[in-house]
Every structure is written in C-alpha cells, then in structure tokens.
Amino acid sequence: MDHPQIEASVAECLAHQYGVITVGQARQAGMSMRMVQYRLDSGRWRRLANGVYAVASSPPTWHQRLAAALLFHPTAIVTGRSAARLHGFPGIRSGRPEVMVPRTANARSPLGTVTRSAFFHQVFTVRVDGFVVASPAEAILALAAFLPLDRLAALLDETLVKQTAALADYETILDRIAGGRVRGSRPLRELVEERRPGAFQPPTSELERLSRRLTEHPAIPLSSHQHPMLGSAGPMVVDTFIADWGLVLEVDGRNYHTRKADFERDRRRDNAAAAMGLVVLRFTWSMLVDDFDYCRETLLATGRQRSRPTSA
C-alpha cells in the first residue's frame, strides 16, 4: 500500500471516530510503528492512553473522550449517564465517559468509568452518533442505581410517552436480571409494576377528599372544586380553582396507561390555564398519600408568591 492510500485510510478512520485512533487501527491501515512514532514526536498526534491517540488539531470534545474510552476497550458499549446523554435525557450532565464490558474483561481504564456485567451479551443496544449505546430502557436501568425515585420515574415516563421504550422492554430486562442482584432493579421494578394495565387506581371520591383536605387551611382562600372554565382549548372542568390566587389545582390518580392516553390533553388544559394568566399545580395520588405536608407547603408557597403585589 502506497503512502497516499495509507493516509486516506487513516483519515477515514479518524473521521468516523471523532479524531481518535488506536495503534492497532493505524497498523491495519498500513502504518509502521515508525510512522506512528513520528506523528507523536512531531506533535501531529497526542497520546490519550496506551495505544490510543488523537489528532492534535481535533477539538477535545466529550464525544472524542467517549470514543477514546470505547477504543481502549474494543468490546465496550456506552452505558449509564453517557448513554442517557446520547439519548437526550433531560438534566443529564456529560461527565466522565461510562462504558460497559463483559464480566470477564479488565475494568481498568484511564479514559472512563468501566462497568462489568454478567448480562453484557444480552443488553439491547442501538447506534447513536456512531456509537454502540445501551438502549433507552437499558440506560434507565443503569441510572436506577443512583437516581432518586421521583427523577427515575420522570425519565421512565418520558421514554414511554415519547415511545423510545415500551413497557415490554422494561419487563424483558427485569426478567433477564431477576435474582441477579443488579443495583437499581428493585426501584425500577416497582415503577414498572405501577404502570402495568390494571395497576391500582384510587376511587374518585378518595381523590376528591384529599383534594378538599389540601385546601382546608386558614391561609388558603375560598376554593371551588370541580370548577367549570372556558379556555382556549374549549370548556373544561378543573379539580380545584382558587380565584384569589389565580391558581388551578389538579390531582392525578389515574394509572399510567390512562395518563399516557390523556397526556397531550392535559398539556393543552395547562396551556389554556396559562393563557388565562393562571398557574397550575399538579399532585399525584402517591404524593398526597405519602407526602401530604410537601403538597400543602408547595400550595401555600405558591399562594404567597401569587399574593405579592407586583411593582409598577
């Protein structure tokens, strides 16, 4: 292979890997070790780790760091926060690259955090930005090991609403790891159980009782329950309306599948209320039952803000 062909082959490899290449790939493209060393000595390449190099002129981006971490472990896939970032999960910081390797692989790496898994070859993957990445549902399982339950639930619901994952995907994963003592599996299992068809749905009367109890406080103005309104989305009935605060209070006790079907309708109702200058607070059944004080304090704090006179 002549020199122009070698350079073209190396350039193509670098272009697909965010400016990163391994010594093995360089040799496969036709480079000798002397040619590799020359690029290092001349400053055209910089060493990221043993056998992993980057073009000096390429920007040191997060994607480049992730590519390097994967190349250091050729069998690795992207997992954890890194997978969540690539899938576009909200509120996830880039951080140190996170990759997964088989249980028998070496977990040491100067370029990223490495997780070993006995289920590595069963993990569902997709391609994102040129990387082999754990699927959205698999990423949620990895995040379940450290995220607070409410944050985990919000991300899981987002994958279901946007249809980037189905409930069956989570059930398959949980069946696979059953009895495997995988961190995060228990809270994820509980969230999936809550979203199965036929999951518990509180009686309407109990929801109304809790909603009325929430507004029974001397600092809360007169409230109107099951209040009819006419907004930009047409006629609607809100759970509770506090006129003095310009506040709508909604209590959500529906099971997940009903919420999914009505998701856009609820957003339209919220938007209609906002267009009328109202603020909307939404509390779930579990929030009212498990953390009633939080719901009451949030309502009072919002009311205090709404009661403040605006400066001219």
Side-chain angles (χ1 to χ4, degrees):
M1 187 180 294
D2 57 28
H3 189 76
Q5 288 179 309
I6 293 173
E7 291 291 347
S9 181
V10 169
E12 183 179 2
C13 185
L14 289 166
H16 286 91
Q17 297 178 167
Y18 298 92
V20 181
I21 194 169
T22 66
V23 65
Q25 291 173 330
R27 294 299 303 275
Q28 189 175 6
M31 277 191 168
S32 65
M33 284 305 301
R34 182 176 179 180
M35 295 169 72
V36 171
Q37 191 61 47
Y38 170 75
R39 280 158 178 74
L40 290 171
D41 293 342
S42 64
R44 291 176 59 186
W45 287 3
R46 52 192 172 89
R47 189 188 306 273
L48 300 178
N50 185 31
V52 182
Y53 314 116
V55 177
S57 59
S58 63
T61 63
W62 178 79
H63 277 73
Q64 185 182 86
R65 297 200 305 274
L66 181 58
L70 288 169
L71 288 172
F72 191 79
H73 285 283
T75 61
I77 63 173
V78 185
T79 188
R81 293 179 183 86
S82 296
R85 158 82 187 278
L86 290 172
H87 289 309
F89 289 3
I92 301 296
R93 296 181 179 180
S94 302
R96 183 174 171 84
E98 297 181 34
V99 301
M100 178 189 290
V101 297
R103 172 71 74 183
T104 55
N106 183 356
R108 294 182 179 179
S109 173
L111 300 174
T113 300
V114 181
T115 300
R116 293 191 297 180
S117 173
F119 304 102
F120 177 83
H121 297 290
Q122 298 168 269
V123 172
F124 295 102
T125 61
V126 294
R127 277 202 168 267
V128 183
D129 293 350
F131 300 115
V132 179
V133 187
S135 71
E138 299 279 5
I140 291 289
L141 171 63
L143 296 177
F146 58 85
L147 279 186
L149 190 62
D150 58 343
R151 179 81 176 107
L152 182 67
L155 289 177
L156 187 153
D157 284 351
E158 178 163 306
T159 66
L160 295 174
V161 169
K162 291 185 175 180
Q163 298 184 349
T164 55
L167 200 64
D169 297 333
Y170 291 102
E171 291 171 337
T172 299
I173 292 170
L174 290 169
D175 288 344
R176 181 186 74 210
I177 64 176
R181 295 185 179 181
V182 176
R183 289 184 61 198
S185 60
R186 182 173 178 179
L188 181 59
R189 190 178 299 278
E190 291 174 355
L191 292 174
V192 170
E193 288 288 346
E194 290 174 0
R195 286 151 179 79
R196 284 194 170 110
F200 173 72
Q201 190 171 356
T204 301
S205 59
E206 184 64 12
L207 282 170
E208 291 180 357
R209 183 188 70 79
L210 284 171
S211 180
R212 290 174 184 272
R213 181 186 163 205
L214 191 63
T215 57
E216 291 172 355
H217 188 281
I220 297 176
L222 182 66
S223 305
S224 173
H225 300 278
Q226 296 303 304
H227 184 83
M229 303 181 100
L230 181 62
S232 58
M236 59 183 180
V237 177
V238 299
D239 291 340
T240 303
F241 178 53
I242 305 176
D244 288 355
W245 287 350
L247 186 147
V248 170
L249 174 63
E250 297 280 11
V251 177
D252 188 2
R254 292 165 288 173
N255 63 36
Y256 180 78
H257 290 273
T258 304
R259 285 195 287 119
K260 181 178 179 181
D262 290 345
F263 185 83
E264 290 194 11
R265 188 201 69 181
D266 287 348
R267 300 293 80 74
R268 288 180 180 272
R269 284 160 52 92
D270 291 353
N271 291 342
M276 299 164 65
L278 307 176
V279 66
V280 179
L281 286 181
R282 285 187 176 273
F283 297 120
T284 65
W285 161 261
S286 60
M287 291 165 75
L288 287 168
V289 171
D290 299 332
D291 203 350
F292 185 85
D293 289 343
Y294 158 78
C295 298
R296 172 70 64 71
E297 286 303 317
T298 300
L299 177 58
L300 288 170
T302 306
R304 285 192 291 269
Q305 289 293 331
R306 301 286 289 177
S307 299
R308 288 181 179 178
T310 56
S311 56

